Amino acid sequence: MTISEVGLDPYNYDFHEDPYPYYKRLRDEAPLYRNAELGFWALSRHRDVLQGFRNSTTLSNKFGVSLDPASRGPHASKTMSFLAMDDPDHLRLRTLVSKGFTPRRIRELEPRVTEIAVQHLDSMLEQARDGATVDYVDEFAGKLPMDVISELMGVPQADRVQVRAWADAVMHREEGVTDVPDSAIEASLNLIVYYQEMVKERRKQLTDDLTSALLEAEIDGDRLTDDEIIGFMFLMVIAGNETTTKLLANAAFWGHRNPDQLAPVYEDLEQVPSWVEETLRFDTSSQILARTVQGELELYDTVIPDGDVLLLLPGSAHRDERVFENPDDFVIGREIGSKLMSFGSGAHFCLGAHLARMEARVALAELFKRIRGYEVDEATAVRVHSSNVRGFAHLPMSVSHR
């Protein structure tokens, strides 16, 4: 079989339904894959993806981490903040942002995250009385992460539904569209204008939120500009909201598919973090991240030229049988540890990893305090269509209340 017969098209709806057979063929037959038509290379084996994440000199972030042409380029940092930068710019901005986005702030947010989760759950479970079907994404998984980020940043309650709608529109892709659609560009502009107003208000009157903390962040007289703060807020909405929504829905879906694995979790909620970790491994939200080659990179006796796009595939790496035993089995409690790359690795390791894990743990534990079982209606579930994230736009389910 020739390499050209092994395919990877991140825009293909069939690939979105189930990318894992594609990944396996890549790992086995084309560990360095080339798609000439879409203009990228791809790495699929665990060892190669991990080295790729850790090589932030030859593999540059400065043109962004998405394959979509409109998202790529020197302007990427406007909406992706330090994720689309290399050092020293990346290190400067990340260090300043870390002054406001502290582990302590995340810890102190947990009681409020619990309140928001309970509020949405109460509403969802009320709708699910008497065996009625309810959309878990619409009513819970899609609401909680965006509300948590809005809470963190200080977005007023009254504006949150609108902000959430814009964030969703930024990510949505119709079939066959290989670039950022006009609707997503319009939603992005709306979000940026909204955050500009918010920053302007905080300049006049600081409050106790992350937006104000970012305005106050300072190292040796160096401060964040308004554009840098807005870029980070935008990154939080896209990276923080989208991936956590997908994590919550993927956890519910694979739990439904593997009831034997979930049974002990109902009895012991201390196992919820293990459920979260196995979901991150088995079906990670963040499947594909792009890098740009700087200089030259030689892999598998092939020289990848300067300026070419190289995709790192953590979604594939997590199913690599060279690293994980029976990787296609969903096993809650398996040893994963540092082999996980859902949050990247190296210099660009996700700053929001703690927040995402805390949200998922709280959300799923609170759900399981209230139900003793659930059934997903797979026939009407709808997948998200995106070139880099994986999850559900709609996940209808019925629940058995405790």
Side-chain angles (χ1 to χ4, degrees), residues 175-320:
E175 184 160 19
V177 175
T178 58
D179 205 347
V180 181
D182 290 346
S183 54
I185 292 168
E186 185 185 343
S188 302
L189 291 172
N190 284 331
L191 270 178
I192 288 168
V193 168
Y194 181 86
Y195 288 139
Q196 279 172 339
E197 282 305 310
M198 231 172 98
V199 170
K200 204 184 292 177
E201 280 172 29
R202 296 300 186 282
R203 283 245 180 250
K204 292 181 203 150
Q205 177 76 53
L206 290 171
T207 54
D208 182 26
D209 55 32
L210 179 60
T211 308
S212 300
L214 293 173
L215 281 165
E216 289 186 291
E218 180 251 331
I219 298 171
D220 299 334
D222 185 17
R223 288 179 179 268
L224 294 163
T225 66
D226 285 9
D227 282 352
E228 287 169 343
I229 292 169
I230 291 157
F232 176 68
M233 291 164 87
F234 199 89
L235 173 67
M236 287 280 290
V237 164
I238 303 311
N241 163 41
E242 190 65 18
T243 50
T244 310
T245 289
K246 304 299 171 274
L247 167 58
L248 289 172
N250 289 343
F253 181 79
W254 293 113
H256 148 82
R257 276 278 182 95
N258 297 273
D260 59 314
Q261 291 295 314
L262 218 47
V265 184
Y266 284 102
E267 304 309 315
D268 177 13
L269 295 181
E270 294 294 315
Q271 294 192 43
V272 167
S274 298
W275 177 19
V276 172
E277 292 304 295
E278 177 63 348
T279 304
L280 286 166
R281 180 201 71 84
F282 186 79
D283 199 19
T284 187
S285 323
S286 192
Q287 292 268 322
I288 297 176
L289 288 142
R291 298 289 190 265
T292 305
V293 175
Q294 285 200 124
E296 267 182 7
L297 183 63
E298 187 170 339
L299 290 163
Y300 294 97
D301 301 325
T302 306
V303 173
I304 304 176
D306 179 65
D308 275 19
V309 176
L310 178 69
L311 300 185
L312 303 175
L313 310 177
S316 170
H318 290 156
R319 296 289 191 101
D320 190 344

Side-chain angles (χ1 to χ4, degrees), residues 29-301:
E29 300 164 31
L32 175 65
Y33 168 77
R34 171 75 176 145
N35 185 318
E37 192 185 340
L38 290 172
F40 68 79
W41 303 80
L43 290 172
S44 50
R45 289 183 183 171
H46 190 282
R47 183 196 62 186
D48 297 332
V49 175
L50 185 60
Q51 285 176 350
F53 276 129
R54 291 181 176 175
N55 178 359
S56 52
T57 45
T58 313
L59 294 179
S60 166
N61 281 48
K62 69 181 174 192
F63 295 110
V65 296
S66 167
L67 186 61
D68 297 349
S71 300
R72 289 193 61 71
H75 62 283
S77 63
K78 282 191 170 43
T79 52
M80 293 307 271
S81 186
F82 52 74
L83 186 56
M85 290 178 185
D86 297 329
D87 289 341
D89 297 342
H90 159 260
L91 185 62
R92 170 195 164 261
L93 193 51
R94 188 184 173 109
T95 308
L96 276 165
V97 162
S98 300
K99 288 272 186 192
F101 193 70
T102 58
R104 182 181 165 189
R105 187 177 285 277
I106 302 309
R107 259 196 322 277
E108 289 173 352
L109 190 65
E110 185 167 333
R112 186 64 189 121
V113 172
T114 306
E115 280 175 26
I116 296 170
V118 167
Q119 184 191 331
H120 289 313
L121 274 173
D122 286 349
S123 163
M124 179 181 97
L125 294 175
E126 188 51 46
Q127 292 177 49
R129 287 258 164 234
D130 308 318
T133 301
V134 64
D135 190 334
Y136 172 82
V137 174
D138 274 356
E139 300 305 326
F140 184 52
K143 286 182 172 176
L144 177 71
M146 192 63 219
D147 282 357
V148 169
I149 285 164
S150 289
E151 182 80 23
L152 196 58
M153 290 183 183
V155 173
Q157 202 93 34
D159 296 350
R160 289 182 190 177
V161 172
Q162 178 61 74
V163 169
R164 201 185 312 132
W166 285 331
D168 289 343
V170 171
M171 295 304 288
H172 182 73
R173 299 289 178 275
E174 296 295 337
E175 184 160 19
V177 175
T178 58
D179 205 347
V180 181
D182 290 346
S183 54
I185 292 168
E186 185 185 343
S188 302
L189 291 172
N190 284 331
L191 270 178
I192 288 168
V193 168
Y194 181 86
Y195 288 139
Q196 279 172 339
E197 282 305 310
M198 231 172 98
V199 170
K200 204 184 292 177
E201 280 172 29
R202 296 300 186 282
R203 283 245 180 250
K204 292 181 203 150
Q205 177 76 53
L206 290 171
T207 54
D208 182 26
D209 55 32
L210 179 60
T211 308
S212 300
L214 293 173
L215 281 165
E216 289 186 291
E218 180 251 331
I219 298 171
D220 299 334
D222 185 17
R223 288 179 179 268
L224 294 163
T225 66
D226 285 9
D227 282 352
E228 287 169 343
I229 292 169
I230 291 157
F232 176 68
M233 291 164 87
F234 199 89
L235 173 67
M236 287 280 290
V237 164
I238 303 311
N241 163 41
E242 190 65 18
T243 50
T244 310
T245 289
K246 304 299 171 274
L247 167 58
L248 289 172
N250 289 343
F253 181 79
W254 293 113
H256 148 82
R257 276 278 182 95
N258 297 273
D260 59 314
Q261 291 295 314
L262 218 47
V265 184
Y266 284 102
E267 304 309 315
D268 177 13
L269 295 181
E270 294 294 315
Q271 294 192 43
V272 167
S274 298
W275 177 19
V276 172
E277 292 304 295
E278 177 63 348
T279 304
L280 286 166
R281 180 201 71 84
F282 186 79
D283 199 19
T284 187
S285 323
S286 192
Q287 292 268 322
I288 297 176
L289 288 142
R291 298 289 190 265
T292 305
V293 175
Q294 285 200 124
E296 267 182 7
L297 183 63
E298 187 170 339
L299 290 163
Y300 294 97
D301 301 325

Side-chain angles (χ1 to χ4, degrees), residues 372-397:
R372 53 187 172 81
Y374 66 95
E375 285 293 325
V376 169
D377 180 2
E378 291 193 33
T380 54
V382 179
R383 283 207 165 274
V384 161
H385 294 292
S386 156
S387 60
N388 54 351
V389 297
R390 176 166 162 77
F392 292 91
H394 299 288
L395 197 68
M397 64 167 61

